[in-house]
Amino acid sequence: MTLTDRIVASAYTVGWAVVRFVPEKAAAFVFRMIADVMWRRRGKSVQRLESNLAKVTGREGESLRELSRAGLRSYMRYWMEIFRLPAMDPKKIHAQTRAVGGDYLMETIAEGRGVVVALPHMGNWDAAGVWLVQCGHPFTTVMERLKPESLFERFVAFRTAIGMEVLPLTRQGGGSAQAFGTLAQRMRAGKVACLPADRDLTESGIEVDFFGRRTRMAAGPALLALQTGAALVPVTIWFDGDGWGLDVHPEVPVPAEGTRQEKVVELTQGMADAFEKGIAEHPDDWHMLQRLWLEDLEPREPRP
């Protein structure tokens, strides 16, 4: 483990050990101040967030700067809540969540089909997961393997305690894990999977139009729906005052015609369209501090 890995792991450990015991208003104040310091320093992640938000909203100048400040505060609120979530009352989270289309999601799950809930990096999706579990529907998700391994294991334990089944995206030491096969089994059994999907973490992402530009999004949600007959349901999330909001979008239908690849592309584009709508309504709660659009990415090495 490198020195950087040790520092990162220690910071998260301290966060989980300490923040939950700090009064909520005091914790919120501290994390808001951290966000403002990051915003004023204008590091690479802040500049990238502003670049992404400019593409989404068309804002520039002072208007864009104010939006990025709100975005940083939203992002740091997410981390404050992550550290506090183990000590928060799940019933209170459920009560303070405004679920637009929540009845539709419950009806879709009740049909007995598997449901693939596709999510962008918005709001606090862990809190949304608590809401879903409190509705009586524990679910499966996939998580990128973090470094150091102890940090990854800590996150898995945290999310398992909430009610999630967490599958690693890759095996320890590298190589593909069999997450897709397990997800397919869960879908055929009529279960629920929640998958962040607005950023491609693999070499098999699907190109889509997103806010008038080309990017790649994860192929997994569309492939799962196509292969298992599960419903592909995009959900966007935001912070709603002191609580949380989520918008359940209509199921993305499987095209009646076309090749398998063409159907996957059309399903993924439908998912991207729903994300676009939700992000446009709540841009300050979209936590995309990384490169996203193809025009901003480093060219990929050609495959042999």
Side-chain angles (χ1 to χ4, degrees), residues 1-173:
M1 184 187 299
T2 66
L3 177 59
T4 300
D5 287 344
R6 291 194 186 97
I7 293 172
V8 170
S10 297
Y12 279 97
T13 299
V14 170
W16 266 304
V18 174
V19 176
R20 71 176 74 181
F21 298 111
V22 176
E24 184 175 357
K25 289 185 178 180
F29 175 80
V30 170
F31 276 79
R32 189 165 58 249
M33 291 302 99
I34 293 172
D36 288 348
V37 170
M38 289 177 61
W39 179 75
R40 285 193 294 268
R41 288 183 175 177
R42 288 187 55 78
K44 288 184 179 180
S45 60
V46 176
Q47 293 179 47
R48 178 52 52 192
L49 176 63
E50 287 189 0
S51 175
N52 291 338
L53 289 174
K55 291 180 174 67
V56 165
T57 65
R59 294 193 194 185
E60 56 185 21
E62 190 61 28
S63 176
L64 178 61
R65 286 287 287 145
E66 287 303 315
L67 179 60
S68 71
R69 184 178 191 176
L72 260 293
R73 287 182 171 185
S74 172
Y75 182 57
M76 294 311 298
R77 173 178 168 176
Y78 165 75
W79 283 109
M80 180 200 73
E81 292 182 352
I82 287 297
F83 294 136
R84 292 181 62 83
L85 209 57
M88 294 171 69
D89 183 356
K91 293 181 180 179
K92 182 178 179 181
I93 294 174
H94 183 269
Q96 291 184 221
T97 298
R98 180 162 63 95
V100 180
D103 289 343
Y104 167 72
L105 179 59
M106 296 301 108
E107 291 167 2
T108 305
I109 295 172
E111 291 175 359
R113 300 165 62 197
V115 177
V116 182
V117 175
L119 305 157
H121 288 78
M122 290 184 73
N124 186 341
W125 86 276
D126 289 281
V130 172
W131 172 84
L132 185 57
V133 171
Q134 286 296 301
C135 289
H137 300 291
F139 59 90
T140 304
T141 189
V142 176
M143 182 176 166
E144 182 182 8
R145 191 174 289 279
L146 304 174
K147 292 182 179 180
E149 184 68 16
S150 60
L151 178 58
F152 172 75
E153 292 173 351
R154 187 67 184 265
F155 260 101
V156 169
F158 159 67
R159 287 177 169 155
T160 299
I162 291 174
M164 307 182 195
E165 177 189 23
V166 183
L167 307 176
L169 181 65
T170 56
R171 296 182 185 277
Q172 186 174 1

Side-chain angles (χ1 to χ4, degrees), residues 89 235 279:
D89 183 356
V235 174
I279 292 167

Side-chain angles (χ1 to χ4, degrees), residues 281-299:
E281 292 173 351
H282 303 280
D284 51 322
D285 288 324
W286 185 45
H287 304 151
M288 187 55 64
L289 281 70
Q290 299 85 16
R291 297 175 188 269
L292 181 67
W293 281 275
L294 299 186
E295 64 194 58
D296 297 327
L297 297 176
E298 297 294 333

